[in-house]
Amino acid sequence: MVDLKANPYYLSDEDIKWAEDTIASMTDEEKVGQLFFQLTESQDEAYLKNLMEKYHVGGCRYNGMPGKKVQAQNRTLQTYAKVPIFIACNTEGGGDGACADGTAIGSGVKIGATGKEEYAYALGKMANEEAASIGCNMAFAPVCDIAYNWENTEIICRAFGNDPERVAKMSAAYVQGAHTIPGFACAAKHFPGNGQDFRDAHLSNNVNYFTPEKWDETYGLVYKTLIDNGLDAIMAGHIMLPEYARAINPDLKDEDMMPATLSPEIMKGLLRDKLGFNGMVVTDASHMVGMTDRMTRREMLPRCINAGCDMFLFFNDPDEDFATMLAAYQDGTISEERITEALTRILGLKAHLGMHKKSAEELVPSQEVVAATLGKAEYKEMHKAISQDSITLVKYKDKDVLPITPERYKRIMIVHIKETESGMSTLMKLLGAPAKKSAAEVLRDKLIEKGFDAFIYESPIDKVKKQIEAGEQPSLNVYFAGKNAIDDFVSGQDLIITLCDVSSGRPVFGFSKGGGEIPWYVFELPVVAIGCGQPTMLADIPQVRTYINTYDSTNDTFDALIDDLMTGPEAFKGTDPIDSYCGLFDTRL
């Protein structure tokens, strides 16, 4: 069923015997436990010991925390594991996806803007060197999606772009970089391919609408490239692929259409049979609505294993989910043949990584290694180089706006455009998380250092908040009749920077009357709009005549941005990796 001597395992007879003997010696509970990847909820030793000895999980993921805490947790997990476990991280943009003090290297879209595969290789190598130093052995990366739909906020910043060949080459380069690290694996995501549907699979269904022919030459090209280059594992997304599913099974009815994680047509017919993938498959997170809205959870758990997934990402309730999967195995819903196939891939990959030959101490490096690895100067220099090569001048209609110098534009107003506050952001504020400098404050301070008189625009709603906080009665006139004369507005500054600081969702402009958030004034004075998160802000402010994407707002990025602004249009090195005009007619005017 599984060829452990072939790609991606290449196991010796001795390694295969270890995998087969280990499976043969397992209890039912131990077999079922190997199917689960769990998100740890505590670093308490008793909790971690119980997780390993009661549930026997095959893999773990964890929430963000400093590297030394992750290392200590991982050492505890491996100490109590009867079979060494996968410990995964989300290093799709840098070592900061492995721990809080890891190094940001560059998001997929940012690296895509450089056009340089060597940067994708460096990302895979450097991000996962940091991850390996704290005891991780698997990256839920690279992101192999293709950014076809600008309204898809789930992957627009994470994918390498909208060109399948570029995505294939950069994804393969990432994997090559990661594979320079002994005992480290990659799980590419999100098969069969995100990036078409505007909806987020965390919250709703997600559909890939391509025909089999179109899929083969796009997403299929990406995954075949990775498979041929030794990809270890794949993360299956909760994404429907109806045209391909029907081509494989013409009897499928619309109401029977399933996301890939629950579809044998996609997981077996396409991934295993047609693409020939022999490696391990793990589902995306099981709490996502793209998976949970198709059937009861009791049906869903064994269904995903029977569909062809080998590991299930995250318990809901550990006792309940474990009991459900155990019962499904013991009553034959999951056959002996199917569970053995899944376990063979799981243990085969662990043997490929050499985990069975290492002690807990060897599986998780010491804290001295952590201290010597995290935040290396070469990682920071790589981030700086990528920042310098990625910033993209997308739209430049007013050809004389640049360069920006204190002699030309002494007084600069920064209009900070934000997104709707997420539930997590609200929670962190309620918990008293320390406030950090905003992107607008960072940019302001850097401009002041360069000799500009820069300040941040105070919106009408901010003024109303101050009135309320001071115990005053706020005036609605600020909204209905609070506009200034154009001459008064223009005289307050020489240039305006509209800073779109939106990482997810759509920008929020506050008041539509009496405010300056929306750049209605693009013909009244110079305006430079900058997207420092999602690179699709032209859809919301199509009237701006100069638009730049920086892809993030780190110090190095803003340093490179200011250098480019002060040099002129020829300084911008990035090329648009997506359609930043969002396919809209008016964004190009």
Side-chain angles (χ1 to χ4, degrees):
M1 294 185 296
V2 183
D3 187 354
L4 292 181
K5 291 192 174 183
N7 179 14
Y9 306 103
Y10 305 108
L11 297 189
S12 66
D13 290 336
E14 180 186 358
D15 293 333
I16 293 172
K17 186 176 187 304
W18 171 82
E20 292 174 343
D21 289 351
T22 302
I23 294 170
S25 69
M26 284 179 170
T27 64
D28 289 357
E29 290 79 5
E30 288 169 343
K31 289 180 179 180
V32 167
Q34 283 294 304
L35 305 179
F36 284 100
F37 244 106
Q38 173 58 345
L39 182 68
T40 58
E41 61 186 52
S42 168
Q43 288 73 59
D44 178 73
E45 183 173 355
Y47 162 78
L48 297 173
K49 181 175 185 288
N50 183 64
L51 185 65
M52 300 315 302
E53 294 183 348
K54 180 178 181 180
Y55 303 108
H56 318 285
V57 294
C60 281
R61 176 76 178 91
Y62 53 88
N63 287 309
M65 53 187 166
K68 288 188 176 181
K69 286 191 174 183
V70 180
Q71 184 271 353
Q73 173 187 271
N74 292 346
R75 181 70 64 93
T76 302
L77 286 168
Q78 296 291 16
T79 297
Y80 289 110
K82 183 176 179 181
V83 176
I85 64 167
F86 296 125
I87 300 176
C89 52
N90 278 338
T91 44
E92 58 187 60
D96 55 345
C99 57
D101 43 353
T103 308
I105 303 294
S107 63
V109 71
K110 184 173 183 177
I111 290 175
T114 71
K116 296 183 177 181
E117 293 170 42
E118 56 263 38
Y119 284 154
Y121 177 91
L123 171 62
K125 182 177 187 295
M126 294 180 174
N128 293 310
E129 282 176 349
E130 289 193 316
S133 78
I134 59 175
C136 297
N137 48 43
M138 179 179 288
F140 286 159
V143 175
C144 302
D145 301 313
I146 307 174
Y148 285 116
N149 188 340
W150 70 269
E151 292 184 280
N152 182 311
T153 61
E154 190 178 354
I155 60 94
I156 195 68
C157 293
R158 301 160 67 194
F160 289 111
N162 64 359
D163 174 34
E165 289 190 6
R166 176 180 291 188
V167 173
K169 289 177 180 179
M170 290 199 165
S171 296
Y174 178 101
V175 173
Q176 288 176 332
H179 279 171
T180 63
I181 304 158
F184 203 89
C186 289
K189 59 189 180 186
H190 308 82
F191 184 85
N194 202 336
Q196 290 185 47
D197 202 326
F198 70 91
R199 295 169 295 182
D200 184 335
H202 292 83
L203 309 172
S204 179
N205 291 329
N206 188 289
V207 181
N208 184 316
Y209 296 96
F210 277 177
T211 64
E213 296 75 21
K214 186 67 172 176
W215 189 91
D216 286 345
E217 65 188 37
T218 55
Y219 295 96
L221 168 69
V222 174
Y223 280 99
K224 193 68 172 71
T225 299
L226 290 174
I227 291 167
D228 290 347
N229 281 275
L231 179 66
D232 313 277
I234 280 174
M235 176 179 282
H238 311 312
I239 301 164
M240 298 181 191
L241 189 61
E243 295 300 320
Y244 228 125
R246 287 193 186 95
I248 292 170
N249 180 5
D251 295 330
L252 270 181
K253 299 177 182 178
D254 286 351
E255 57 267 29
D256 297 327
M257 198 61 63
M258 293 289 159
T261 41
L262 301 173
S263 170
E265 290 81 10
I266 302 305
M267 300 316 303
K268 295 179 182 178
L270 176 55
L271 181 60
R272 298 296 187 195
D273 297 341
K274 182 163 185 176
L275 293 181
F277 183 59
N278 189 40
M280 191 191 81
V281 174
V282 57
T283 73
D284 204 345
S286 70
H287 307 98
M288 296 168 67
V289 178
M291 187 183 199
T292 62
D293 69 353
R294 305 302 295 143
M295 60 189 67
T296 67
R297 191 170 184 87
R298 191 176 298 276
E299 297 171 289
M300 185 181 78
L301 268 71
R303 169 87 183 229
C304 85
I305 300 299
N306 284 334
C309 299
D310 303 306
M311 296 191 75
F312 187 83
L313 192 58
F314 305 153
F315 290 127
N316 182 51
D317 175 81
D319 287 338
E320 186 176 66
D321 281 359
F322 188 85
T324 294
M325 201 78 89
L326 180 62
Y329 170 50
Q330 291 180 336
D331 69 16
T333 301
I334 300 174
S335 68
E336 190 69 41
E337 180 182 30
R338 176 65 196 111
I339 201 169
T340 300
E341 179 187 22
L343 290 169
T344 300
R345 287 199 175 94
I346 295 166
L347 269 67
L349 182 52
K350 291 181 178 183
H352 170 69
L353 300 180
M355 295 166 63
H356 62 310
K357 297 179 179 179
K358 297 178 180 178
S359 66
E361 289 74 20
E362 293 170 317
L363 285 166
V364 181
S366 67
Q367 295 220 340
E368 287 74 21
V369 172
V370 178
T373 305
L374 293 183
K376 279 185 179 179
E378 63 184 287
Y379 304 156
K380 295 177 181 178
E381 285 301 310
M382 179 55 63
H383 172 66
K384 185 176 181 179
I386 292 170
S387 297
Q388 291 169 339
D389 286 353
S390 62
I391 298 175
T392 309
L393 180 60
V394 176
K395 183 178 181 180
Y396 192 48
K397 301 287 282 189
D398 291 332
K399 302 298 185 184
D400 61 344
V401 171
L402 302 178
I404 294 174
T405 63
E407 292 74 28
R408 297 187 71 198
Y409 309 107
K410 179 67 174 178
R411 188 160 168 79
I412 296 179
M413 180 170 78
I414 300 170
V415 179
H416 191 192
I417 306 300
K418 308 172 192 175
E419 62 197 42
T420 303
E421 191 171 81
S422 69
M424 181 58 71
S425 297
T426 303
L427 177 62
M428 295 308 290
K429 283 184 180 179
L430 292 172
L431 293 174
K436 298 187 297 183
K437 266 190 180 183
S438 71
E441 290 169 330
V442 172
L443 183 59
R444 176 200 61 195
D445 294 348
K446 288 182 179 294
L447 287 169
I448 290 172
E449 289 173 7
K450 295 291 186 179
F452 294 95
D453 179 9
F455 67 101
I456 298 172
Y457 167 76
E458 184 179 44
S459 71
I461 200 164
D462 289 333
K463 293 176 182 177
V464 168
K465 285 180 180 178
K466 284 186 177 180
Q467 289 176 328
I468 293 172
E469 290 169 358
E472 301 172 5
Q473 180 66 34
S475 172
L476 290 180
N477 282 338
V478 76
Y479 176 73
F480 290 109
K483 295 184 179 179
N484 296 324
I486 299 296
D487 285 346
D488 291 342
F489 181 81
V490 169
S491 66
Q493 53 276 321
D494 302 312
L495 178 139
I496 293 178
I497 291 178
T498 302
L499 186 67
C500 298
D501 183 17
V502 179
S503 60
S504 181
R506 301 292 289 276
V508 176
F509 292 101
F511 285 156
S512 61
K513 299 174 182 171
E517 292 102 320
I518 299 175
W520 51 265
Y521 35 76
V522 294
F523 289 103
E524 303 292 346
L525 76 174
V527 177
V528 175
I530 298 167
C532 65
Q534 288 182 176
T536 54
M537 294 297 101
L538 273 175
D540 291 278
I541 48 172
Q543 69 272 29
V544 297
R545 302 177 63 76
T546 301
Y547 177 73
I548 296 163
N549 276 323
T550 68
Y551 310 104
D552 62 46
S553 56
T554 67
N555 276 309
D556 285 338
T557 296
F558 276 0
D559 285 341
L561 168 66
I562 292 172
D563 286 345
D564 288 353
L565 288 172
M566 295 183 70
T567 301
E570 69 280 2
F572 292 86
K573 298 177 183 177
T575 56
D576 189 5
I578 63 166
D579 174 18
S580 293
Y581 291 99
C582 305
L584 301 173
F585 164 75
D586 58 309
T587 55
R588 295 181 180 273
L589 298 180

